[in-house]
Amino acid sequence: MSKTTIIFVLLFLLLILAQVVVFNHIWLFGVAIPIIFIYFIISLPESLGTGWVITFAFLAGFLVDIFSNTPGLNAMCCTVCGAVKRPMLKLYVSHDEEMANSLPSPYTLGGITYMKYLITFTTLYSLLYFVILSMDFFNFYRLVIRIISTSLLSFIIILALSYLFNPSPSKKK
C-alpha cells in the first residue's frame, strides 16, 4: 500500500471514531451538532472516480449509522454528497487541469475558494440531514436554525482540521 492510502485509511478510521465517540454527543445549545466525519469525503482526491467517491461516502455514512442508531440517515446524506462532490467543486474551480491530481485543500484551491466549497458542502449535508430527520416542516424556523448552526459549527471545525492535516507547502521542506 502506498503512503497516501495508509494516510486516508487512518484518517477515515480516526474521523469515524471521533464522530461516534465524541461529536455525536455534543449538541451545542440544543441545535448544533458538529459533523466532522464528512471531512473524509471532502478531502478525497479529485483523481478518484465518482463511483469510488460515492462508495467511500456511503461506507463512511453507514459506519456512523451503525454506531449512532440512525439507520440509513447518514449513509443517504453521504451518498448524495459524494455524488455531487465533483460538480460542486467545479462551481468554484474553473479549470479541470488545476485539480487533476490534487487533494482539495486550502493550499491547492486557495483559502477563499476552499472556504466556499467547504461551506457549500457542509450546508448541503446539514440540509439533507435535518430535513430527513424531521420529515416535516412544522417548526420551520427551528429547522432553519439547526441547518445553519450545524453548518457553521461543522465548517469551523473542518476548516481547522484542513489546516491541521494539510501543512502549508513551505512547512513541508
Side-chain angles (χ1 to χ4, degrees):
M1 273 202 277
S2 71
K3 181 181 174 183
T4 307
T5 306
I6 293 171
I7 289 171
F8 271 107
V9 168
L10 290 175
L11 180 66
F12 176 79
L13 295 174
L14 177 72
L15 289 173
I16 298 295
L17 186 65
Q19 182 69 45
V20 170
V21 174
V22 178
F23 292 104
N24 276 354
H25 302 289
I26 298 174
W27 276 79
L28 193 61
F29 304 116
V31 292
I33 307 166
I35 301 172
I36 59 127
F37 77 98
I38 61 174
Y39 174 66
F40 173 75
I41 303 165
I42 291 168
S43 66
L44 287 172
E46 282 305 299
S47 59
L48 196 62
T50 305
W52 284 109
V53 172
I54 292 171
T55 302
F56 291 138
F58 172 78
L59 184 61
F62 182 68
L63 286 174
V64 171
D65 281 337
I66 287 172
F67 297 109
S68 302
N69 197 22
T70 54
L73 179 63
N74 288 297
M76 193 195 98
C77 296
C78 285
T79 303
V80 171
C81 286
V84 299
K85 179 184 185 288
R86 184 165 285 153
M88 189 183 306
L89 189 58
K90 285 185 181 180
L91 288 173
Y92 303 113
V93 179
S94 58
H95 303 291
D96 289 337
E97 58 272 359
E98 289 179 22
M99 287 301 301
N101 292 320
S102 65
L103 305 170
S105 76
Y107 302 109
T108 58
L109 296 176
I112 301 298
T113 303
Y114 184 74
M115 284 193 263
K116 288 182 207 174
Y117 168 62
L118 194 59
I119 196 69
T120 306
F121 201 93
T122 56
T123 303
L124 174 65
Y125 187 89
S126 299
L127 177 73
L128 290 168
Y129 185 86
F130 285 111
V131 166
I132 294 167
L133 188 63
S134 69
M135 290 303 272
D136 67 357
F137 295 102
F138 179 69
N139 197 344
F140 181 73
Y141 295 111
R142 184 164 173 85
L143 178 67
V144 170
I145 289 171
R146 280 185 168 182
I147 292 168
I148 292 171
S149 61
T150 296
S151 297
L152 288 176
L153 182 60
S154 300
F155 167 76
I156 292 167
I157 294 171
I158 291 173
L159 186 62
L161 286 174
S162 298
Y163 281 103
L164 180 69
F165 287 128
N166 296 309
S168 69
S170 61
K171 290 182 183 178
K172 287 182 180 180
K173 293 180 182 178

CSV table of all heavy atoms in Angstrom, one decimal, residues 58-101:
chain,number,residue,atom,x,y,z
A,58,PHE,N,-20.7,6.4,1.1
A,58,PHE,CA,-21.7,5.5,1.6
A,58,PHE,C,-21.1,4.7,2.8
A,58,PHE,O,-21.8,4.6,3.8
A,58,PHE,CB,-22.2,4.6,0.6
A,58,PHE,CG,-23.1,3.5,1.1
A,58,PHE,CD1,-24.5,3.8,1.5
A,58,PHE,CD2,-22.7,2.2,1.4
A,58,PHE,CE1,-25.3,2.9,2.0
A,58,PHE,CE2,-23.5,1.3,1.9
A,58,PHE,CZ,-24.8,1.6,2.3
A,59,LEU,N,-20.0,4.2,2.7
A,59,LEU,CA,-19.3,3.4,3.7
A,59,LEU,C,-19.1,4.2,5.0
A,59,LEU,O,-19.4,3.8,6.1
A,59,LEU,CB,-18.0,2.8,3.3
A,59,LEU,CG,-17.3,1.9,4.2
A,59,LEU,CD1,-18.1,0.7,4.5
A,59,LEU,CD2,-16.0,1.5,3.6
A,60,ALA,N,-18.7,5.5,4.8
A,60,ALA,CA,-18.5,6.3,6.0
A,60,ALA,C,-19.8,6.6,6.7
A,60,ALA,O,-19.9,6.5,7.9
A,60,ALA,CB,-17.9,7.7,5.6
A,61,GLY,N,-20.8,7.0,5.9
A,61,GLY,CA,-22.2,7.2,6.5
A,61,GLY,C,-22.8,6.0,7.1
A,61,GLY,O,-23.4,6.0,8.2
A,62,PHE,N,-22.6,4.8,6.5
A,62,PHE,CA,-23.1,3.6,7.0
A,62,PHE,C,-22.5,3.2,8.4
A,62,PHE,O,-23.2,2.8,9.3
A,62,PHE,CB,-22.8,2.4,6.0
A,62,PHE,CG,-23.4,1.1,6.4
A,62,PHE,CD1,-24.7,0.9,6.5
A,62,PHE,CD2,-22.5,0.1,6.7
A,62,PHE,CE1,-25.2,-0.4,6.8
A,62,PHE,CE2,-23.0,-1.2,7.1
A,62,PHE,CZ,-24.4,-1.4,7.1
A,63,LEU,N,-21.1,3.4,8.5
A,63,LEU,CA,-20.5,3.1,9.7
A,63,LEU,C,-20.9,4.0,10.9
A,63,LEU,O,-21.1,3.6,12.0
A,63,LEU,CB,-19.0,3.2,9.6
A,63,LEU,CG,-18.3,2.0,8.8
A,63,LEU,CD1,-16.9,2.3,8.6
A,63,LEU,CD2,-18.5,0.7,9.6
A,64,VAL,N,-21.1,5.3,10.5
A,64,VAL,CA,-21.7,6.2,11.5
A,64,VAL,C,-23.1,5.8,11.9
A,64,VAL,O,-23.5,5.9,13.1
A,64,VAL,CB,-21.6,7.7,11.1
A,64,VAL,CG1,-22.3,8.6,12.0
A,64,VAL,CG2,-20.1,8.1,10.9
A,65,ASP,N,-23.9,5.4,10.9
A,65,ASP,CA,-25.3,5.0,11.2
A,65,ASP,C,-25.3,3.8,12.2
A,65,ASP,O,-26.1,3.7,13.0
A,65,ASP,CB,-26.0,4.6,9.9
A,65,ASP,CG,-26.5,5.8,9.2
A,65,ASP,OD1,-26.7,6.9,9.8
A,65,ASP,OD2,-26.7,5.7,8.0
A,66,ILE,N,-24.4,2.8,11.9
A,66,ILE,CA,-24.4,1.6,12.8
A,66,ILE,C,-24.2,2.0,14.2
A,66,ILE,O,-24.9,1.5,15.1
A,66,ILE,CB,-23.3,0.7,12.3
A,66,ILE,CG1,-23.7,0.0,11.0
A,66,ILE,CG2,-23.0,-0.4,13.4
A,66,ILE,CD1,-22.6,-0.8,10.4
A,67,PHE,N,-23.2,2.9,14.5
A,67,PHE,CA,-22.9,3.2,15.9
A,67,PHE,C,-23.8,4.4,16.5
A,67,PHE,O,-23.7,4.7,17.6
A,67,PHE,CB,-21.4,3.6,16.0
A,67,PHE,CG,-20.5,2.4,15.7
A,67,PHE,CD1,-19.8,2.4,14.5
A,67,PHE,CD2,-20.5,1.3,16.5
A,67,PHE,CE1,-19.0,1.3,14.2
A,67,PHE,CE2,-19.7,0.2,16.2
A,67,PHE,CZ,-18.9,0.3,15.0
A,68,SER,N,-24.6,5.0,15.6
A,68,SER,CA,-25.3,6.2,16.1
A,68,SER,C,-26.8,5.9,16.2
A,68,SER,O,-27.6,6.8,16.5
A,68,SER,CB,-25.1,7.4,15.2
A,68,SER,OG,-23.8,7.7,15.1
A,69,ASN,N,-27.2,4.7,15.8
A,69,ASN,CA,-28.7,4.3,15.8
A,69,ASN,C,-29.5,5.2,14.9
A,69,ASN,O,-30.6,5.7,15.3
A,69,ASN,CB,-29.2,4.3,17.2
A,69,ASN,CG,-30.5,3.5,17.3
A,69,ASN,OD1,-30.8,2.7,16.5
A,69,ASN,ND2,-31.3,3.7,18.4
A,70,THR,N,-29.0,5.5,13.8
A,70,THR,CA,-29.7,6.3,12.8
A,70,THR,C,-29.7,5.6,11.5
A,70,THR,O,-28.9,5.9,10.6
A,70,THR,CB,-29.0,7.7,12.6
A,70,THR,OG1,-27.6,7.5,12.2
A,70,THR,CG2,-29.1,8.6,13.8
A,71,PRO,N,-30.6,4.6,11.4
A,71,PRO,CA,-30.5,3.7,10.2
A,71,PRO,C,-30.7,4.4,8.9
A,71,PRO,O,-31.8,4.8,8.5
A,71,PRO,CB,-31.6,2.7,10.5
A,71,PRO,CG,-32.5,3.3,11.5
A,71,PRO,CD,-31.7,4.3,12.2
A,72,GLY,N,-29.6,4.4,8.1
A,72,GLY,CA,-29.6,4.9,6.8
A,72,GLY,C,-29.6,6.4,6.6
A,72,GLY,O,-29.4,6.9,5.5
A,73,LEU,N,-29.7,7.2,7.7
A,73,LEU,CA,-29.7,8.7,7.6
A,73,LEU,C,-28.4,9.2,7.1
A,73,LEU,O,-28.3,9.9,6.1
A,73,LEU,CB,-30.1,9.3,8.9
A,73,LEU,CG,-30.2,10.8,9.0
A,73,LEU,CD1,-31.2,11.3,8.0
A,73,LEU,CD2,-30.4,11.2,10.4
A,74,ASN,N,-27.3,8.9,7.8
A,74,ASN,CA,-26.0,9.4,7.4
A,74,ASN,C,-25.5,8.8,6.1
A,74,ASN,O,-24.9,9.4,5.2
A,74,ASN,CB,-25.0,9.2,8.5
A,74,ASN,CG,-25.2,10.0,9.7
A,74,ASN,OD1,-25.1,11.3,9.6
A,74,ASN,ND2,-25.5,9.5,10.8
A,75,ALA,N,-25.9,7.5,5.8
A,75,ALA,CA,-25.5,6.8,4.6
A,75,ALA,C,-26.1,7.5,3.4
A,75,ALA,O,-25.4,7.8,2.4
A,75,ALA,CB,-25.9,5.4,4.6
A,76,MET,N,-27.4,7.9,3.5
A,76,MET,CA,-28.0,8.6,2.4
A,76,MET,C,-27.4,10.0,2.1
A,76,MET,O,-27.1,10.4,1.0
A,76,MET,CB,-29.5,8.7,2.6
A,76,MET,CG,-30.2,9.1,1.3
A,76,MET,SD,-31.9,9.6,1.6
A,76,MET,CE,-31.6,11.3,1.6
A,77,CYS,N,-27.3,10.7,3.2
A,77,CYS,CA,-26.7,12.1,3.1
A,77,CYS,C,-25.3,12.0,2.5
A,77,CYS,O,-25.0,12.9,1.7
A,77,CYS,CB,-26.7,12.8,4.5
A,77,CYS,SG,-28.3,13.0,5.2
A,78,CYS,N,-24.5,11.1,3.0
A,78,CYS,CA,-23.1,11.0,2.5
A,78,CYS,C,-23.1,10.6,1.0
A,78,CYS,O,-22.3,11.0,0.2
A,78,CYS,CB,-22.3,10.0,3.3
A,78,CYS,SG,-21.8,10.6,4.9
A,79,THR,N,-24.0,9.7,0.6
A,79,THR,CA,-24.0,9.2,-0.7
A,79,THR,C,-24.4,10.3,-1.7
A,79,THR,O,-23.8,10.5,-2.7
A,79,THR,CB,-25.0,8.0,-0.9
A,79,THR,OG1,-24.7,7.0,0.0
A,79,THR,CG2,-25.1,7.5,-2.3
A,80,VAL,N,-25.4,11.1,-1.3
A,80,VAL,CA,-25.7,12.3,-2.1
A,80,VAL,C,-24.6,13.3,-2.2
A,80,VAL,O,-24.3,13.8,-3.3
A,80,VAL,CB,-27.0,13.0,-1.6
A,80,VAL,CG1,-27.3,14.3,-2.3
A,80,VAL,CG2,-28.2,12.0,-1.7
A,81,CYS,N,-24.0,13.6,-1.1
A,81,CYS,CA,-22.8,14.5,-1.1
A,81,CYS,C,-21.7,14.0,-1.9
A,81,CYS,O,-21.0,14.7,-2.6
A,81,CYS,CB,-22.4,14.8,0.4
A,81,CYS,SG,-23.5,15.8,1.2
A,82,GLY,N,-21.4,12.7,-1.8
A,82,GLY,CA,-20.4,12.1,-2.6
A,82,GLY,C,-20.7,12.2,-4.1
A,82,GLY,O,-19.8,12.4,-4.9
A,83,ALA,N,-21.9,12.0,-4.5
A,83,ALA,CA,-22.3,12.1,-5.9
A,83,ALA,C,-22.2,13.5,-6.4
A,83,ALA,O,-21.9,13.7,-7.6
A,83,ALA,CB,-23.8,11.6,-6.0
A,84,VAL,N,-22.4,14.5,-5.6
A,84,VAL,CA,-22.3,15.9,-6.1
A,84,VAL,C,-21.0,16.6,-5.8
A,84,VAL,O,-20.9,17.8,-6.0
A,84,VAL,CB,-23.5,16.8,-5.6
A,84,VAL,CG1,-24.8,16.2,-6.1
A,84,VAL,CG2,-23.5,16.9,-4.1
A,85,LYS,N,-20.1,15.9,-5.2
A,85,LYS,CA,-18.8,16.4,-4.8
A,85,LYS,C,-18.0,17.1,-6.0
A,85,LYS,O,-17.6,18.2,-5.9
A,85,LYS,CB,-17.9,15.4,-4.2
A,85,LYS,CG,-16.5,15.9,-3.8
A,85,LYS,CD,-15.7,14.7,-3.2
A,85,LYS,CE,-14.4,15.1,-2.7
A,85,LYS,NZ,-13.4,15.6,-3.7
A,86,ARG,N,-17.9,16.4,-7.1
A,86,ARG,CA,-17.1,16.9,-8.2
A,86,ARG,C,-17.9,18.1,-8.9
A,86,ARG,O,-17.3,19.1,-9.1
A,86,ARG,CB,-16.9,15.8,-9.2
A,86,ARG,CG,-16.1,16.3,-10.4
A,86,ARG,CD,-15.5,15.1,-11.2
A,86,ARG,NE,-14.4,14.6,-10.5
A,86,ARG,CZ,-14.0,13.3,-10.6
A,86,ARG,NH1,-14.6,12.5,-11.4
A,86,ARG,NH2,-13.0,12.9,-9.9
A,87,PRO,N,-19.2,18.0,-9.2
A,87,PRO,CA,-19.9,19.1,-9.7
A,87,PRO,C,-19.8,20.4,-8.8
A,87,PRO,O,-19.7,21.5,-9.3
A,87,PRO,CB,-21.3,18.7,-10.0
A,87,PRO,CG,-21.2,17.2,-10.0
A,87,PRO,CD,-20.1,16.8,-9.2
A,88,MET,N,-19.9,20.1,-7.5
A,88,MET,CA,-19.9,21.2,-6.5
A,88,MET,C,-18.5,21.9,-6.6
A,88,MET,O,-18.4,23.1,-6.5
A,88,MET,CB,-20.1,20.7,-5.1
A,88,MET,CG,-20.3,21.7,-4.1
A,88,MET,SD,-20.6,21.1,-2.4
A,88,MET,CE,-21.9,20.0,-2.6
A,89,LEU,N,-17.4,21.1,-6.7
A,89,LEU,CA,-16.1,21.7,-6.8
A,89,LEU,C,-15.9,22.5,-8.1
A,89,LEU,O,-15.2,23.5,-8.1
A,89,LEU,CB,-15.1,20.6,-6.6
A,89,LEU,CG,-13.6,21.0,-6.5
A,89,LEU,CD1,-13.5,21.9,-5.2
A,89,LEU,CD2,-12.7,19.8,-6.3
A,90,LYS,N,-16.5,22.0,-9.1
A,90,LYS,CA,-16.4,22.7,-10.4
A,90,LYS,C,-17.1,24.0,-10.4
A,90,LYS,O,-16.8,24.9,-11.3
A,90,LYS,CB,-17.0,21.8,-11.5
A,90,LYS,CG,-16.0,20.7,-11.9
A,90,LYS,CD,-16.5,19.9,-13.1
A,90,LYS,CE,-15.5,18.8,-13.4
A,90,LYS,NZ,-16.0,18.0,-14.6
A,91,LEU,N,-18.0,24.3,-9.5
A,91,LEU,CA,-18.6,25.6,-9.3
A,91,LEU,C,-17.6,26.6,-9.0
A,91,LEU,O,-17.7,27.8,-9.3
A,91,LEU,CB,-19.7,25.6,-8.2
A,91,LEU,CG,-21.0,24.8,-8.5
A,91,LEU,CD1,-21.8,24.8,-7.2
A,91,LEU,CD2,-21.8,25.5,-9.6
A,92,TYR,N,-16.5,26.2,-8.2
A,92,TYR,CA,-15.6,27.1,-7.7
A,92,TYR,C,-14.2,27.1,-8.4
A,92,TYR,O,-13.4,28.0,-8.3
A,92,TYR,CB,-15.4,26.9,-6.2
A,92,TYR,CG,-16.7,27.0,-5.5
A,92,TYR,CD1,-17.3,26.0,-4.9
A,92,TYR,CD2,-17.3,28.3,-5.4
A,92,TYR,CE1,-18.5,26.1,-4.2
A,92,TYR,CE2,-18.6,28.4,-4.8
A,92,TYR,CZ,-19.1,27.3,-4.2
A,92,TYR,OH,-20.3,27.4,-3.5
A,93,VAL,N,-13.9,26.0,-9.1
A,93,VAL,CA,-12.6,25.8,-9.8
A,93,VAL,C,-12.9,25.7,-11.3
A,93,VAL,O,-13.6,24.8,-11.7
A,93,VAL,CB,-11.9,24.5,-9.3
A,93,VAL,CG1,-10.6,24.4,-10.1
A,93,VAL,CG2,-11.6,24.6,-7.8
A,94,SER,N,-12.4,26.7,-12.0
A,94,SER,CA,-12.8,26.8,-13.4
A,94,SER,C,-12.1,25.8,-14.3
A,94,SER,O,-12.6,25.4,-15.3
A,94,SER,CB,-12.6,28.2,-13.9
A,94,SER,OG,-11.2,28.6,-13.8
A,95,HIS,N,-10.9,25.4,-14.0
A,95,HIS,CA,-10.1,24.6,-14.9
A,95,HIS,C,-9.9,23.2,-14.3
A,95,HIS,O,-9.4,23.1,-13.2
A,95,HIS,CB,-8.7,25.2,-15.2
A,95,HIS,CG,-8.8,26.6,-15.8
A,95,HIS,ND1,-9.3,26.8,-17.1
A,95,HIS,CD2,-8.5,27.8,-15.3
A,95,HIS,CE1,-9.3,28.1,-17.3
A,95,HIS,NE2,-8.8,28.7,-16.2
A,96,ASP,N,-10.2,22.2,-15.1
A,96,ASP,CA,-10.0,20.8,-14.7
A,96,ASP,C,-8.6,20.5,-14.4
A,96,ASP,O,-8.2,19.7,-13.6
A,96,ASP,CB,-10.6,19.8,-15.7
A,96,ASP,CG,-12.2,19.9,-15.7
A,96,ASP,OD1,-12.7,20.3,-14.6
A,96,ASP,OD2,-12.7,19.5,-16.7
A,97,GLU,N,-7.7,21.0,-15.3
A,97,GLU,CA,-6.3,20.7,-15.1
A,97,GLU,C,-5.7,21.2,-13.8
A,97,GLU,O,-4.7,20.6,-13.4
A,97,GLU,CB,-5.5,21.2,-16.3
A,97,GLU,CG,-5.5,22.7,-16.6
A,97,GLU,CD,-6.7,23.1,-17.5
A,97,GLU,OE1,-7.4,22.3,-17.9
A,97,GLU,OE2,-6.8,24.3,-17.7
A,98,GLU,N,-6.3,22.2,-13.2
A,98,GLU,CA,-5.8,22.7,-11.9
A,98,GLU,C,-6.0,21.6,-10.8
A,98,GLU,O,-5.2,21.5,-9.9
A,98,GLU,CB,-6.5,24.0,-11.5
A,98,GLU,CG,-6.2,25.2,-12.3
A,98,GLU,CD,-6.9,26.4,-11.9
A,98,GLU,OE1,-7.4,26.4,-10.8
A,98,GLU,OE2,-7.0,27.3,-12.7
A,99,MET,N,-7.1,20.8,-10.9
A,99,MET,CA,-7.4,19.9,-9.9
A,99,MET,C,-7.2,18.4,-10.3
A,99,MET,O,-7.6,17.5,-9.5
A,99,MET,CB,-8.9,20.1,-9.5
A,99,MET,CG,-9.2,21.3,-8.7
A,99,MET,SD,-8.2,21.4,-7.1
A,99,MET,CE,-8.8,19.9,-6.3
A,100,ALA,N,-6.6,18.2,-11.4
A,100,ALA,CA,-6.5,16.9,-11.9
A,100,ALA,C,-5.9,15.8,-11.0
A,100,ALA,O,-6.4,14.8,-10.8
A,100,ALA,CB,-5.7,16.9,-13.2
A,101,ASN,N,-4.8,16.2,-10.3
A,101,ASN,CA,-4.1,15.2,-9.5
A,101,ASN,C,-3.9,15.7,-8.1
A,101,ASN,O,-2.9,15.4,-7.4
A,101,ASN,CB,-2.7,14.8,-10.0
A,101,ASN,CG,-2.9,14.0,-11.3
A,101,ASN,OD1,-3.8,13.2,-11.4
A,101,ASN,ND2,-2.1,14.3,-12.3
